[in-house]
Amino acid sequence: MDALIEKLKSIEHGFKHIIEAGDLILKDTSISHLEFGIKLLEDDAYQIRMLATYLFGQLSVKSSNALEILETRIAKDDNWRIQEMLAKAFDYYCQTVGYEKSLTKIKSWINDKNPNVKRAVIEGLRIWTNRPYFKENPELAIQLIAKARFDDSEYVRKSIGNSLRDISKKHKVLVDNEISNWNLADKKIMFIQKLIYK
């Protein structure tokens, strides 16, 4: 296991090697995966914290503790790669549980005070209207994403703009209707609007 961890530290780009290592660890039934993941979070190397994030994403479907760690600890990590992995982890949770059954958790995360938690939902579920349930309910997807538009974080607002631009390719009228209610005098809102129509 130590050799696997050290090898990951030498690879700087991508997610595939992290996922492969995570799957190997999850097959090892001799260890407590939750405890092992918590230990990995203490590592200085972002690659190892990415691995922990992947593990918690996989475990979150059956472990409320794992899901809580994603939301409360991993979302506070200041490395952008960890946040990308968090978005993938949250989407895995929603996909496995079912997007409709995950609505309560989706709404909870999209209203969180931490911008990284909000962004994990918005970015993780892209393209929202390609996902089961949201494919049949594009208006709800648009409303949920748009609700976060007042966030001070440009990181979040950029994700909103990109997500709504994705959706507008198939549902332009619905996105236009949503934006028609926005206060475009607000520079933060205008920033999102420009991203949608660029």
Side-chain angles (χ1 to χ4, degrees):
M1 202 66 75
D2 289 344
L4 180 69
I5 300 294
E6 284 308 308
K7 186 182 176 187
L8 287 182
K9 290 181 182 180
S10 68
I11 305 171
E12 290 189 19
H13 303 290
F15 296 94
K16 190 180 175 191
H17 59 291
I18 303 281
I19 292 165
E20 287 171 355
D23 289 343
L24 275 175
I25 291 165
L26 290 167
K27 283 178 187 171
D28 186 344
T29 55
S30 70
I31 59 171
S32 164
H33 299 120
L34 195 70
E35 286 175 22
F36 187 71
I38 290 168
K39 188 179 165 190
L40 294 179
L41 282 180
E42 306 300 325
D43 203 290
D44 289 338
Y46 69 82
Q47 296 96 324
I48 308 310
R49 300 196 311 279
M50 283 175 76
L51 174 60
T53 306
Y54 175 75
L55 291 176
F56 289 124
Q58 297 295 300
L59 297 170
S60 68
V61 178
K62 293 181 179 174
S63 167
S64 58
N65 285 345
L67 189 60
E68 187 181 344
I69 289 167
L70 288 170
E71 184 178 1
T72 59
R73 280 191 66 181
I74 292 170
K76 289 178 182 170
D77 197 300
D78 58 6
N79 189 293
W80 67 268
R81 294 174 186 89
I82 312 294
Q83 298 312 318
E84 289 299 316
M85 192 60 89
L86 175 62
K88 290 176 184 293
F90 187 74
D91 184 53
Y92 175 79
Y93 168 83
C94 295
Q95 184 180 30
T96 309
V97 171
Y99 291 96
E100 186 173 7
K101 287 182 180 175
S102 302
L103 268 178
T104 301
K105 194 53 71 175
I106 290 169
K107 289 175 183 177
S108 168
W109 277 43
I110 219 159
N111 288 308
D112 198 278
K113 289 179 183 175
N114 183 339
N116 288 337
V117 176
K118 284 183 188 175
R119 185 192 173 272
V121 186
I122 297 163
E123 201 62 38
L125 272 60
R126 281 177 68 186
I127 297 169
W128 283 58
T129 49
N130 285 357
R131 304 285 198 245
Y133 183 69
F134 291 116
K135 201 174 208 171
E136 293 78 42
N137 297 281
E139 299 95 337
L140 179 59
I142 293 163
Q143 287 165 13
L144 286 168
I145 296 165
K147 198 173 182 185
R149 71 185 179 274
F150 301 105
D151 199 279
D152 289 333
S153 168
E154 187 173 303
Y155 190 50
V156 170
R157 287 182 279 116
K158 192 172 185 181
S159 193
I160 292 167
N162 290 336
S163 292
L164 291 177
R165 185 175 68 241
D166 289 343
I167 292 172
S168 72
K169 288 171 185 169
K170 287 185 181 174
H171 303 284
K172 188 177 185 316
V173 173
L174 294 177
V175 173
D176 289 349
N177 287 345
E178 170 60 40
I179 293 165
S180 69
N181 298 313
W182 290 9
N183 174 17
L184 297 178
D186 184 327
K187 287 180 182 178
K188 291 175 185 173
I189 306 296
M190 176 63 87
F191 172 85
I192 299 170
Q193 191 252 14
K194 283 181 178 176
L195 280 175
I196 295 166
Y197 293 118
K198 80 171 187 182

